[in-house]
Amino acid sequence: MKSSGIGGQAVLEGIMMRNGGKYAVAVRKPDKEIIIDVQEHVGLTEKYKFLNVPFIRGVFKFAESLTIGIKTLTYSAEFFEEEDEDKKSEVTGNELENDTVEKCQSEENKKEEKNSKLESVLMGFTVLISVLFSVGLFIVLPFFIGEFFRKIVGIESNTAIAIFEGFARILIFVLYLVLISKMKDIQRTFMYHGAEHKCINCIEHGLELNVENVKKSSRLHKRCGTSFLLFVVVISIISFIIVSAIIPEASTGWLKLVVRLALIPIIAGISFEILRLAGNSDGKIIGLLSMPGMLLQRLTTIEPEDDMIEVGIASVEAIFDWKKYLAENFEEKSDEV
């Protein structure tokens, strides 16, 4: 398998694909039309080369992915909000005078200008809330569970509590995935997630990008965000166990928590490098490291329908020349053979 370098995520009734400094969102509207929006994005690691170094770039790449992910998710949701507004207007506004319509449009334009100014602020706030929720659920909550267990059992060893905390963290992470995978709306998003993976796997295994070939491709991929999150969980467990062995037994709980929070950027950086290595290697060791994440993807991806695959193909073709990619990476090899 030859890595294409493209990646993406599922959005509401659609798929976002990203290739370098460009990303495209393909959404199937309520009227079944596929609409595609292509945007340019130059990240901090591209603007400032000194940030594009191992174990540092991962933090910025993760923040950029989260920002683009929330932005594209919001974009896809707008089409379904518009559908609701259109239905209301059909009932209440079919007989407006022309001058009244113009006034309404003028007011609407003013609202859009105000909304655009607030968009960046709201986006930053949303990203912050998302990060705080993740940290609270997967870092802070397991820590307090460990401290509660310490008081009940009477264990003084920081290392032993850190190990227990690690098991609690894994349990919370898996339960979280299991619970959200049972939600009907999320299940449909997971089908688009599966379509995203299958499209990428299709071209990375040398097949032409069409519905039939995509259907035959795997819905699991080593560069998936699910695998990244699992790497974060596992590396955090190892890091916290090591740090717990160094911190004095008499240290306060708040000091231990602050140390854990301070380690998050380092953990994210290491996790990104492992994920990046996994996406560009077929070695046995990397395969073993990727296996748990691939298994968890069976929860976060579902086999898609044909019309979902069509959306994925449209998104890929908007930002990636897959025919050129196949010619450069597969046809030359077949000629040599």
Side-chain angles (χ1 to χ4, degrees), residues 191-232:
M191 292 175 76
Y192 277 103
H193 189 196
E196 175 225 327
H197 283 188
K198 290 169 81 74
C199 285
I200 297 174
N201 275 322
C202 177
I203 57 178
E204 288 187 341
H205 286 82
L207 301 176
E208 291 189 9
L209 190 63
N210 57 51
V211 174
E212 289 304 314
N213 285 339
V214 172
K215 286 173 69 174
K216 293 185 294 185
S217 301
S218 173
R219 74 175 198 265
L220 312 178
H221 199 284
K222 289 189 291 185
R223 292 201 312 272
C224 177
T226 304
S227 296
F228 173 77
L229 291 177
L230 182 61
F231 284 140
V232 168

Coordinates of all heavy atoms in Angstrom, one line a residue, residues 191-232:
M191 N -21.5 5.6 8.9 CA -21.6 5.1 7.6 C -20.8 5.9 6.6 O -20.0 5.4 5.8 CB -23.0 4.9 7.1 CG -23.8 3.9 7.9 SD -25.6 3.8 7.5 CE -25.5 3.0 5.9
Y192 N -20.9 7.2 6.8 CA -20.1 8.1 5.9 C -18.6 8.0 6.3 O -17.8 8.2 5.4 CB -20.6 9.6 6.1 CG -21.8 9.9 5.2 CD1 -23.1 10.0 5.7 CD2 -21.6 10.2 3.9 CE1 -24.2 10.3 4.9 CE2 -22.7 10.5 3.0 CZ -24.0 10.6 3.6 OH -25.0 10.9 2.8
H193 N -18.4 7.8 7.6 CA -17.0 7.6 8.0 C -16.4 6.3 7.3 O -15.3 6.3 6.9 CB -17.0 7.4 9.5 CG -15.6 7.4 10.1 ND1 -15.3 6.9 11.4 CD2 -14.4 7.8 9.6 CE1 -14.0 7.0 11.7 NE2 -13.4 7.5 10.6
G194 N -17.2 5.3 7.2 CA -16.8 4.1 6.5 C -16.5 4.4 5.0 O -15.6 3.9 4.5
A195 N -17.4 5.2 4.4 CA -17.2 5.5 3.0 C -15.9 6.3 2.8 O -15.2 6.1 1.8 CB -18.4 6.4 2.5
E196 N -15.6 7.2 3.7 CA -14.4 8.0 3.7 C -13.2 7.0 3.6 O -12.3 7.2 2.8 CB -14.3 8.9 4.9 CG -13.0 9.7 4.9 CD -12.4 9.7 6.4 OE1 -13.2 9.7 7.3 OE2 -11.2 9.7 6.5
H197 N -13.1 6.1 4.6 CA -12.0 5.2 4.6 C -11.9 4.3 3.4 O -10.8 4.0 2.9 CB -12.2 4.3 5.9 CG -11.8 4.9 7.1 ND1 -11.7 4.2 8.3 CD2 -11.5 6.2 7.4 CE1 -11.4 5.1 9.3 NE2 -11.2 6.3 8.8
K198 N -13.1 3.8 2.9 CA -13.1 2.9 1.8 C -12.6 3.6 0.5 O -11.9 3.0 -0.3 CB -14.5 2.4 1.6 CG -14.9 1.4 2.7 CD -16.4 1.0 2.6 CE -16.7 0.0 1.6 NZ -16.3 -1.4 2.0
C199 N -12.9 4.9 0.4 CA -12.5 5.6 -0.8 C -10.9 5.8 -0.8 O -10.3 5.6 -1.8 CB -13.1 7.0 -0.8 SG -14.8 7.0 -1.4
I200 N -10.4 6.1 0.4 CA -8.9 6.2 0.5 C -8.3 4.9 0.3 O -7.2 4.8 -0.4 CB -8.6 6.8 1.9 CG1 -9.1 8.3 2.0 CG2 -7.1 6.9 2.1 CD1 -9.0 8.9 3.4
N201 N -8.8 3.8 0.9 CA -8.2 2.5 0.8 C -8.2 2.1 -0.7 O -7.3 1.4 -1.2 CB -8.9 1.5 1.6 CG -8.4 1.5 3.1 OD1 -7.2 1.6 3.3 ND2 -9.3 1.3 4.0
C202 N -9.3 2.4 -1.4 CA -9.5 2.0 -2.8 C -8.3 2.5 -3.6 O -7.6 1.7 -4.3 CB -10.8 2.6 -3.3 SG -11.1 2.2 -5.1
I203 N -8.0 3.8 -3.6 CA -6.9 4.3 -4.4 C -5.5 3.9 -3.9 O -4.6 3.8 -4.6 CB -7.0 5.8 -4.6 CG1 -7.1 6.6 -3.2 CG2 -8.3 6.2 -5.4 CD1 -7.1 8.1 -3.3
E204 N -5.4 3.8 -2.5 CA -4.1 3.4 -2.0 C -3.7 2.0 -2.2 O -2.6 1.6 -2.0 CB -4.1 3.7 -0.5 CG -4.1 5.2 -0.2 CD -3.9 5.6 1.3 OE1 -4.1 4.7 2.1 OE2 -3.5 6.7 1.6
H205 N -4.7 1.2 -2.7 CA -4.4 -0.2 -3.1 C -4.4 -0.4 -4.6 O -4.5 -1.5 -5.1 CB -5.4 -1.1 -2.4 CG -5.2 -1.3 -0.9 ND1 -5.6 -0.4 0.0 CD2 -4.5 -2.3 -0.3 CE1 -5.2 -0.9 1.2 NE2 -4.6 -2.0 1.1
G206 N -4.4 0.8 -5.3 CA -4.2 0.7 -6.8 C -5.4 0.5 -7.6 O -5.3 0.1 -8.7
L207 N -6.6 0.7 -7.0 CA -7.8 0.5 -7.8 C -8.4 1.8 -8.2 O -8.3 2.9 -7.6 CB -8.9 -0.2 -6.9 CG -8.4 -1.6 -6.3 CD1 -9.5 -2.1 -5.4 CD2 -8.2 -2.6 -7.4
E208 N -9.1 1.8 -9.4 CA -9.8 3.0 -9.9 C -10.9 3.4 -8.9 O -11.6 2.5 -8.3 CB -10.3 2.7 -11.3 CG -9.3 2.6 -12.3 CD -9.9 2.5 -13.7 OE1 -11.1 2.8 -13.9 OE2 -9.2 2.2 -14.7
L209 N -11.1 4.7 -8.8 CA -12.0 5.2 -7.8 C -13.5 5.2 -8.4 O -13.9 6.1 -9.1 CB -11.7 6.6 -7.4 CG -12.4 7.2 -6.2 CD1 -12.2 6.3 -4.9 CD2 -12.0 8.6 -5.9
N210 N -14.2 4.1 -8.2 CA -15.6 4.0 -8.6 C -16.3 3.2 -7.5 O -15.7 2.7 -6.6 CB -15.7 3.3 -10.0 CG -15.1 1.9 -10.0 OD1 -15.3 1.1 -9.2 ND2 -14.2 1.7 -11.0
V211 N -17.6 3.3 -7.6 CA -18.5 2.7 -6.5 C -18.2 1.2 -6.3 O -18.0 0.8 -5.2 CB -20.0 2.9 -6.9 CG1 -20.8 2.2 -5.8 CG2 -20.3 4.4 -6.9
E212 N -18.0 0.4 -7.4 CA -17.8 -1.0 -7.2 C -16.5 -1.3 -6.5 O -16.4 -2.2 -5.6 CB -17.8 -1.7 -8.6 CG -19.2 -1.7 -9.2 CD -20.3 -2.4 -8.3 OE1 -19.9 -3.5 -7.8 OE2 -21.4 -1.9 -8.2
N213 N -15.4 -0.6 -6.9 CA -14.1 -0.8 -6.3 C -14.1 -0.3 -4.8 O -13.5 -1.0 -4.0 CB -13.0 -0.1 -7.1 CG -12.7 -0.8 -8.4 OD1 -12.9 -2.0 -8.5 ND2 -12.1 -0.1 -9.3
V214 N -14.8 0.8 -4.6 CA -14.8 1.3 -3.2 C -15.6 0.3 -2.3 O -15.2 0.1 -1.1 CB -15.5 2.7 -3.2 CG1 -15.7 3.1 -1.7 CG2 -14.6 3.7 -3.9
K215 N -16.6 -0.3 -2.8 CA -17.4 -1.2 -2.0 C -16.6 -2.4 -1.6 O -16.8 -3.0 -0.5 CB -18.6 -1.7 -2.8 CG -19.7 -0.7 -2.9 CD -20.8 -1.1 -3.9 CE -21.6 -2.3 -3.3 NZ -22.8 -2.6 -4.2
K216 N -15.6 -2.8 -2.4 CA -14.8 -4.0 -2.1 C -13.7 -3.6 -1.2 O -13.0 -4.5 -0.6 CB -14.1 -4.5 -3.4 CG -15.1 -5.1 -4.4 CD -14.4 -5.7 -5.6 CE -13.7 -4.7 -6.5 NZ -13.1 -5.2 -7.7
S217 N -13.4 -2.4 -1.0 CA -12.3 -1.9 -0.1 C -12.6 -2.0 1.4 O -13.8 -2.0 1.7 CB -11.8 -0.5 -0.5 OG -11.5 -0.4 -1.9
S218 N -11.6 -2.0 2.2 CA -11.8 -2.0 3.7 C -12.3 -0.7 4.2 O -11.9 0.4 3.7 CB -10.5 -2.4 4.3 OG -10.7 -2.4 5.7
R219 N -13.1 -0.8 5.2 CA -13.6 0.4 5.9 C -12.7 0.8 7.1 O -13.0 1.8 7.8 CB -15.0 0.3 6.4 CG -15.2 -0.6 7.6 CD -16.7 -0.6 8.1 NE -16.9 -1.1 9.4 CZ -17.2 -2.3 9.8 NH1 -17.3 -3.2 8.8 NH2 -17.3 -2.6 11.0
L220 N -11.6 0.1 7.3 CA -10.6 0.3 8.3 C -9.4 0.9 7.7 O -8.9 0.5 6.7 CB -10.3 -0.9 9.1 CG -11.5 -1.8 9.5 CD1 -11.0 -3.1 10.2 CD2 -12.4 -1.0 10.4
H221 N -8.8 1.9 8.4 CA -7.6 2.6 7.9 C -6.7 3.0 9.1 O -7.2 3.4 10.1 CB -7.9 3.8 7.1 CG -6.8 4.3 6.2 ND1 -5.7 5.0 6.7 CD2 -6.7 4.2 4.9 CE1 -4.9 5.2 5.7 NE2 -5.5 4.8 4.6
K222 N -5.4 2.8 8.9 CA -4.4 3.0 10.0 C -4.3 4.5 10.4 O -3.8 4.8 11.5 CB -3.1 2.4 9.6 CG -3.0 0.9 9.6 CD -1.6 0.4 9.4 CE -1.1 0.6 8.0 NZ 0.2 0.0 7.8
R223 N -4.6 5.4 9.5 CA -4.5 6.8 9.8 C -5.7 7.4 10.4 O -5.9 8.7 10.5 CB -4.1 7.6 8.6 CG -2.7 7.3 8.0 CD -2.2 8.5 7.1 NE -3.2 8.9 6.2 CZ -3.3 8.4 5.0 NH1 -2.6 7.4 4.6 NH2 -4.2 8.9 4.1
C224 N -6.7 6.6 10.8 CA -8.0 7.1 11.3 C -7.8 7.9 12.7 O -6.9 7.6 13.5 CB -8.9 5.9 11.5 SG -10.5 6.4 12.2
G225 N -8.7 8.8 12.9 CA -8.7 9.6 14.1 C -9.0 8.7 15.3 O -8.5 9.0 16.5
T226 N -9.7 7.7 15.1 CA -10.0 6.7 16.2 C -8.7 6.1 16.7 O -8.5 6.0 17.9 CB -11.0 5.6 15.8 OG1 -12.2 6.2 15.2 CG2 -11.3 4.7 16.9
S227 N -7.8 5.7 15.8 CA -6.5 5.2 16.2 C -5.7 6.2 16.9 O -5.0 5.9 17.9 CB -5.8 4.7 14.9 OG -6.5 3.6 14.3
F228 N -5.8 7.5 16.4 CA -5.0 8.5 17.1 C -5.5 8.7 18.5 O -4.6 8.8 19.5 CB -5.2 9.8 16.3 CG -4.6 11.0 17.0 CD1 -3.3 11.3 17.0 CD2 -5.4 11.9 17.7 CE1 -2.7 12.4 17.6 CE2 -4.9 13.0 18.4 CZ -3.5 13.2 18.3
L229 N -6.8 8.7 18.8 CA -7.3 8.8 20.1 C -6.8 7.7 21.0 O -6.5 7.8 22.2 CB -8.8 8.9 20.1 CG -9.4 10.2 19.5 CD1 -10.9 10.2 19.5 CD2 -8.9 11.4 20.3
L230 N -6.8 6.5 20.4 CA -6.4 5.3 21.2 C -4.9 5.4 21.6 O -4.5 5.1 22.7 CB -6.7 4.0 20.5 CG -6.3 2.7 21.2 CD1 -7.0 2.6 22.5 CD2 -6.5 1.5 20.3
F231 N -4.1 5.9 20.6 CA -2.7 6.1 20.9 C -2.5 7.1 22.0 O -1.7 7.0 22.9 CB -2.0 6.6 19.6 CG -1.7 5.6 18.6 CD1 -1.8 5.8 17.2 CD2 -1.3 4.3 19.0 CE1 -1.6 4.9 16.3 CE2 -1.0 3.3 18.0 CZ -1.1 3.6 16.7
V232 N -3.3 8.2 22.0 CA -3.3 9.2 23.0 C -3.6 8.6 24.4 O -2.9 8.8 25.4 CB -4.3 10.3 22.8 CG1 -4.4 11.2 24.0 CG2 -3.8 11.2 21.6

